[in-house]
Amino acid sequence: MKWRHSIIYLVLLLLVGGYFYYFEIVRKEQKAATDREAKRVFHLNPEKADSVEILPREGKPVRLKKEDRWILVEPVRTDVDASAVDGLLGAFSRLQVEREIVAAPEDLKPYGLETPVLRIRVREGDNRHELLLGDRNPVGDARYARSEAKTSVFLVAEGNWAVFNKGLNDLRRRSLFTFAVDDVRGLRTEWEDGSVVQVRLLDDGKTWQADGQGDVKIRPGKVENVIQQLHWLRAIAFVD
């Protein structure tokens, strides 16, 4: 009889555990996901975006376009920092309403939205998503905002400002070289006094040899360190 009681207790335990898991964990996670979705300002897939415009109240507009890859087209045509663009689009797609302020404002001037401090447009095929950012709220932890899809004025977290307020130097590619480290087969260094050191990788893929000095042993790690540093070299800023 004891084994029957054990089975009954086990079944009851499983039922209680299942009930707790579903209502206390699954349902709560579902509700949290639903709440997050309801607060989203835009519903777009960042991977399908094909153009971005950043239009500040003061300063030059920045425009990006996706061809075979993302490129800057204004104010200059150049390559972009892919991670910076991905970060901007990801934050744009996840942007949430912190709190609605006015459902149908008659005057946008008190919120700095009559002439927005910053206007961002993201195009996704035939769909265009536009965000207007105005002044900070009195507390300073959020910023007034509006979108083309909402008539209301709402607040978004102030932390979004640094993500969206991007200029040319923030978005252009800063890496100076685009070679793949594993593809390098030679390295030539020239000094101002005219001296030259040139090394090449032998067919074994491990041994480096200095041209004309085959008897000199070269530590692979030193050559690879130079190559790595060149590969990761970044511009701090752009003069022009």
Side-chain angles (χ1 to χ4, degrees), residues 80 172-178 231-235 238:
V80 303
R172 70 188 302 176
R173 180 171 65 85
R174 291 176 176 268
S175 56
L176 302 186
F177 304 104
T178 58
H231 176 70
W232 290 109
L233 202 59
R234 298 290 188 272
F238 296 91

Side-chain angles (χ1 to χ4, degrees), residues 35-230:
D35 292 342
R36 286 195 301 269
E37 192 66 18
K39 289 182 179 180
R40 282 180 62 184
V41 180
F42 304 105
H43 293 82
L44 78 152
N45 183 347
E47 295 181 359
K48 294 183 178 180
D50 48 43
S51 73
V52 177
E53 293 180 276
I54 302 174
L55 310 171
R57 180 192 295 171
E58 300 177 359
K60 295 181 178 180
V62 175
R63 291 181 171 86
L64 302 91
K65 186 178 180 181
K66 192 173 187 180
E67 297 179 352
D68 58 330
R69 66 187 189 285
W70 281 104
I71 60 169
L72 274 157
V73 294
E74 190 180 337
V76 296
R77 186 178 179 88
T78 186
D79 290 334
V80 303
D81 181 338
S83 62
V85 176
D86 289 344
L88 186 150
L89 287 172
F92 192 87
S93 68
R94 295 189 300 269
L95 185 66
Q96 293 187 351
V97 174
E98 294 294 315
R99 180 161 57 90
E100 185 178 270
I101 301 299
V102 183
E106 295 181 0
D107 185 9
L108 295 175
K109 193 172 181 179
Y111 311 103
L113 290 168
E114 184 177 57
T115 305
V117 179
L118 187 66
R119 184 190 303 264
I120 302 174
R121 295 174 182 151
V122 177
R123 187 175 293 277
E124 180 191 16
D126 295 331
N127 299 319
R128 192 185 78 168
H129 310 278
E130 184 174 61
L131 174 68
L132 310 179
L133 292 177
D135 298 333
R136 287 188 296 179
N137 66 340
V139 180
D141 62 349
R143 193 171 286 268
Y144 298 112
R146 203 179 188 200
S147 74
E148 90 294 342
K150 295 178 181 292
T151 59
S152 62
V153 171
F154 52 89
L155 290 176
V156 296
E158 174 63 12
N160 292 293
W161 174 255
V163 180
F164 295 141
N165 185 31
K166 299 295 186 184
L168 172 63
N169 285 349
D170 299 309
L171 295 172
R172 70 188 302 176
R173 180 171 65 85
R174 291 176 176 268
S175 56
L176 302 186
F177 304 104
T178 58
F179 64 83
V181 173
D182 293 338
D183 292 341
V184 176
R185 292 295 179 270
L187 180 65
R188 178 184 173 90
T189 306
E190 299 182 17
W191 279 268
E192 188 177 5
D193 62 5
S195 58
V196 176
V197 173
Q198 184 166 311
V199 297
R200 59 188 176 88
L201 186 64
L202 299 184
D203 293 339
D204 62 5
K206 300 178 181 179
T207 307
W208 289 90
Q209 187 178 82
D211 287 1
Q213 302 181 54
D215 57 335
V216 177
K217 292 185 177 181
I218 298 175
R219 295 175 61 180
K222 288 188 173 293
V223 180
E224 292 164 2
N225 182 54
V226 173
I227 294 171
Q228 287 282 359
Q229 293 207 31
L230 286 171

Side-chain angles (χ1 to χ4, degrees), residues 9-47:
Y9 294 147
L10 178 60
V11 171
L12 290 174
L13 180 62
L14 291 173
L15 289 173
V16 172
Y19 177 89
F20 176 84
Y21 176 77
Y22 180 75
F23 286 97
E24 296 298 322
I25 298 179
V26 175
R27 288 293 296 273
K28 284 186 177 180
E29 290 180 353
Q30 290 176 343
K31 184 178 183 303
T34 301
D35 292 342
R36 286 195 301 269
E37 192 66 18
K39 289 182 179 180
R40 282 180 62 184
V41 180
F42 304 105
H43 293 82
L44 78 152
N45 183 347
E47 295 181 359

